[in-house]
Amino acid sequence: MNYSFRKATASEIPEVWEILQQAIVRRKKDGSEQWQDGYPNLQSVQNDVEKGQGFVLTEGETITGYSAVLINDEPEYAKIIGKWLTNDDFVVFHRVAISENHLGKGLAKKMLEYIEDFALSNNIYSVKADTNFDNTAMLKIFEKSGYKYCGKVYFRGGERKAFEKTLAKNS
């Protein structure tokens, strides 16, 4: 398959929001509390795209997934209850969602690989992320992708599991 990972455009916001809405429903069906409090919402996607932090995974011309990707921009991570593997520059991703029509193809794992490539292309060797304690799908992806559990962080009053993966520097 011909996949690519690139910044989302303003015209793609409605399609991205549709993918996130599907994921919100899936989280609820899976019995997860994650994303059941009005976040993420359309405004969060618009903010991501306006700041150049919204990214889409595409298969040909079709958007198959979405994630916000930021550099050194997660204030809550400074308050971790636990310890990060590194204290250097890092890439953080939020709001990972795969289109309902493209589930079961390993695309979330593929998106994480693209995010790691993005980090390396910016000479950053750490990727950090978090997820709800009951988001079993994402927890499995972190495990399969080599992310290490570092502790807990809090968002909107909820406890989240925090993970980090260190990337090898190519000499």
Side-chain angles (χ1 to χ4, degrees), residues 27 32-37 39-40 74 76-77 79-82 84 92-96 128-135 138-139 142 149-163:
R27 291 281 63 76
S32 174
E33 295 172 17
Q34 188 167 352
W35 293 357
Q36 303 306 309
D37 61 356
Y39 167 93
E74 187 41 77
E76 295 307 315
Y77 283 7
K79 304 175 200 165
I80 189 169
I81 298 168
W84 293 111
V92 58
F93 59 88
H94 292 300
R95 299 181 278 292
V96 171
K128 296 178 180 178
D130 63 86
T131 194
N132 228 49
F133 66 93
D134 60 5
N135 185 341
M138 199 68 205
L139 290 168
F142 283 150
Y149 176 73
C150 294
K152 300 172 188 171
V153 292
Y154 289 85
F155 288 94
R156 297 177 314 284
E159 182 180 289
R160 313 280 297 227
K161 289 187 169 193
F163 294 83

Side-chain angles (χ1 to χ4, degrees), residues 43 47-49 66-67 81 87 91 98 102 109 111 132 135 166:
Q43 189 62 55
N47 291 344
D48 291 344
V49 174
Y66 175 79
S67 179
I81 298 168
N87 293 310
V91 166
I98 301 299
H102 296 273
K109 189 172 185 301
M111 190 157 20
N132 228 49
N135 185 341
T166 55

Side-chain angles (χ1 to χ4, degrees), residues 13-84:
I13 291 172
E15 194 172 350
V16 164
W17 175 230
E18 178 60 33
I19 290 170
L20 273 163
Q21 286 177 300
Q22 293 168 358
I24 289 166
V25 170
R26 272 199 311 279
R27 291 281 63 76
K28 186 178 180 99
K29 279 186 191 162
D30 290 346
S32 174
E33 295 172 17
Q34 188 167 352
W35 293 357
Q36 303 306 309
D37 61 356
Y39 167 93
N41 52 46
L42 181 57
Q43 189 62 55
S44 30
V45 177
Q46 290 170 331
N47 291 344
D48 291 344
V49 174
E50 284 169 17
K51 293 177 181 173
Q53 299 170 334
F55 284 75
V56 289
L57 179 68
T58 61
E59 181 181 333
E61 297 298 310
T62 306
I63 295 174
T64 57
Y66 175 79
S67 179
V69 182
L70 304 78
I71 296 175
N72 293 330
D73 189 8
E74 187 41 77
E76 295 307 315
Y77 283 7
K79 304 175 200 165
I80 189 169
I81 298 168
K83 185 174 180 1
W84 293 111

